[in-house]
Amino acid sequence: MTTSLDRGTGRYRALVDAATGLALLGCVTLGALLRFPGLSQPQEQWPAIAIAAVTCLALLRARAHPRAVATVAMAGTVATLAQGYIPTPLMLAPLMLALYWVAAETERRIARAFGLAAMAVVVIAAMLDNPTTDMLLLRTVGPVLWLLLPLVGGSRARLRTAYLESVQARAVYAERTREEEARLRVAEERMRIARELHDVVAHHMAVANAQAGTARHLVPTRPDQALKLLDGLTATTSSALIELRATVGVLRQSGDPDAESLEPAPGLDRLPELVETCASAGLDVTLITEGEPRPLSPGVDLTAYRIIQEALTNVTKHGAGQGADVRLSYARSRLLISVTNDGTAAVAEAADGGFGLMGMRERAHSVGGDLRAGPRPGGGFEVTTALPLHSLAPEEPEAAA
């Protein structure tokens, strides 16, 4: 589809080509009128001017058909020199422009072939007209030097055009790559937020459901304990709302004046709160730490907390046993985490559609770790994961906090 800009550019080029053709015709006319002392030249100039007019008319199509136009220009130049004219730059002007377009629009091999052919025919035509030594340099070396100029200029123009095209292609590729990278980052961010929402909602809702169910059974016989559970239910739902607000808050723009400061991401330092919440829902959790605890990077710290949270959520909802063991083992380069219970929590993933285990595996893989989950040989269910420590320097934990 041709746009108005393309049409305007085409008209401008046509005007430039027409003006150039008229200027070249004037050059040939002036060259035909020149007289050199001691040399006989044609008395009538109109044949040379007529040949030059035909050549200049053909030059109007030099951009589209450079080789054909160069052939016409060589033939016209040879016909003009055969009449007895000296090959001055004025007489060679149409051929020089034709060679420029050959060098600018075709391959280097083709431009070189046309250039050598033009030099050969011009020198031969000039020497055949006057084989004596009169003005030998002007008839031999002169045409070669003058015809080299447009070949060099056209080659430089072709290289510059190729360079600009390559720059434009790289810019287009970079723009397309940026768009693809942006879409990938958006997809990764959506997956991260989905995991956060799943972990927060699944854990707190499971605990709240267990607290509400236990309180309902205790109301007729032990109203004091039921009231205590209801107080814990309020705290659980409040905690859920706070974490949901912090998770959804990342969707706000950083420059939004209404955006509130977000709570820091949870880590292993909040495990006591998690154990206490599970205890309020009737789940007895034993926390065991082996080795010397080390500071973790924020990503690994959050991943470890979310995996333990999701595993305890499955035990709360579906574990047949009344307790769970959480073991943290700090090795040289990895943190080993295992969450075990005596029930058969495998039904949790069947009821949850497998998203819990899928989310835990994705979290572990995102920080370079691994996760396995399945029934224990002696009964029960176990979730184990190995996460890289990514230890921080001694002065960095305070900065990271």
Side-chain angles (χ1 to χ4, degrees), residues 3-87:
T3 62
S4 58
L5 180 60
D6 295 334
R7 290 193 296 268
T9 303
R11 287 195 294 266
Y12 173 76
R13 287 180 176 178
L15 292 175
V16 171
D17 291 342
T20 304
L22 292 176
L24 293 176
L25 181 59
C27 290
V28 175
T29 303
L30 180 60
L33 294 174
L34 288 179
R35 290 292 180 266
F36 294 90
L39 292 178
S40 60
Q41 291 184 260
Q43 297 299 322
E44 296 183 355
Q45 291 78 34
W46 67 266
I49 297 174
I51 295 174
V54 174
T55 304
C56 293
L57 186 62
L59 284 172
L60 296 177
R61 304 294 298 170
R63 297 176 188 267
H65 307 284
R67 288 177 287 187
V69 173
T71 303
V72 173
M74 279 192 287
T77 302
V78 170
T80 302
L81 297 179
Q83 300 176 30
Y85 291 99
I86 300 298

Side-chain angles (χ1 to χ4, degrees), residues 31-374:
L33 294 174
L34 288 179
R35 290 292 180 266
F36 294 90
L39 292 178
S40 60
Q41 291 184 260
Q43 297 299 322
E44 296 183 355
Q45 291 78 34
W46 67 266
I49 297 174
I51 295 174
V54 174
T55 304
C56 293
L57 186 62
L59 284 172
L60 296 177
R61 304 294 298 170
R63 297 176 188 267
H65 307 284
R67 288 177 287 187
V69 173
T71 303
V72 173
M74 279 192 287
T77 302
V78 170
T80 302
L81 297 179
Q83 300 176 30
Y85 291 99
I86 300 298
T88 60
L90 294 175
M91 302 300 296
L92 297 177
L95 179 58
M96 292 172 64
L97 182 60
L99 291 180
Y100 171 86
W101 286 116
V102 170
E105 299 293 337
T106 62
E107 300 177 0
R108 180 184 301 178
R109 174 177 53 84
I110 298 175
R112 187 179 302 163
F114 270 86
L116 293 176
M119 295 175 191
V121 297
V122 169
V123 171
I124 292 173
M127 292 300 296
L128 288 178
D129 175 66
N130 188 356
T132 63
T133 59
D134 296 338
M135 305 187 73
L136 182 61
L137 292 178
L138 190 58
R139 295 178 182 274
T140 56
V141 180
V144 173
L145 295 178
W146 288 114
L147 295 179
L148 277 176
L149 292 178
L151 292 173
V152 174
S155 298
R156 290 178 60 87
R158 176 175 53 81
L159 292 176
R160 179 168 179 78
T161 301
Y163 171 75
L164 294 177
E165 290 178 352
S166 66
V167 170
Q168 185 178 7
R170 287 198 299 269
V172 172
Y173 175 76
E175 184 67 23
R176 184 169 62 249
T177 303
R178 282 195 296 269
E179 293 176 357
E180 294 176 356
E181 184 179 356
R183 286 194 295 268
L184 179 60
R185 289 182 178 180
V186 169
E188 292 176 351
E189 184 67 11
R190 291 178 60 185
M191 289 295 298
R192 188 188 69 82
I193 294 174
R195 287 196 298 265
E196 289 289 331
L197 290 176
H198 175 273
D199 293 345
V200 171
V201 173
H203 170 71
H204 289 289
M205 292 303 101
V207 173
N209 181 69
Q211 289 174 331
T214 304
R216 181 175 180 275
H217 288 288
L218 292 178
V219 166
T221 56
R222 300 179 182 178
D224 294 339
Q225 293 184 5
L227 184 60
K228 184 177 180 181
L229 284 175
L230 291 177
D231 292 339
L233 177 61
T234 303
T236 300
T237 54
S238 298
S239 178
L241 290 175
I242 292 174
E243 290 202 33
L244 281 175
R245 184 177 62 179
T247 303
V248 177
V250 300
L251 298 176
R252 289 192 173 190
Q253 298 180 359
S254 58
D256 189 352
D258 297 331
E260 301 178 2
S261 59
L262 304 179
E263 294 291 334
L268 293 182
D269 58 334
R270 292 181 55 180
L271 278 184
E273 299 178 16
L274 181 62
V275 171
E276 183 180 352
T277 303
C278 293
S280 66
L283 178 64
D284 185 16
V285 179
T286 302
L287 181 60
I288 304 171
T289 302
E290 298 178 349
E292 182 181 356
R294 305 179 195 175
L296 307 176
S297 64
V300 176
D301 201 15
L302 174 62
T303 298
Y305 178 84
R306 290 303 189 196
I307 289 176
I308 296 173
Q309 183 185 50
E310 177 62 22
L312 293 178
T313 299
N314 286 342
V315 176
T316 302
K317 292 191 295 185
H318 306 284
Q322 296 299 317
D325 295 332
V326 178
R327 185 180 301 272
L328 305 177
S329 300
Y330 289 87
R332 171 181 293 183
S333 61
R334 287 184 174 271
L335 170 62
L336 305 178
I337 302 174
S338 65
V339 181
T340 60
N341 76 300
D342 298 331
T344 55
V347 295
E349 293 308 319
D352 194 26
F355 292 118
L357 283 181
M358 184 186 304
M360 286 191 287
R361 287 195 180 95
E362 290 176 351
R363 284 186 178 277
H365 293 164
S366 67
V367 295
D370 192 16
L371 183 139
R372 295 183 180 181

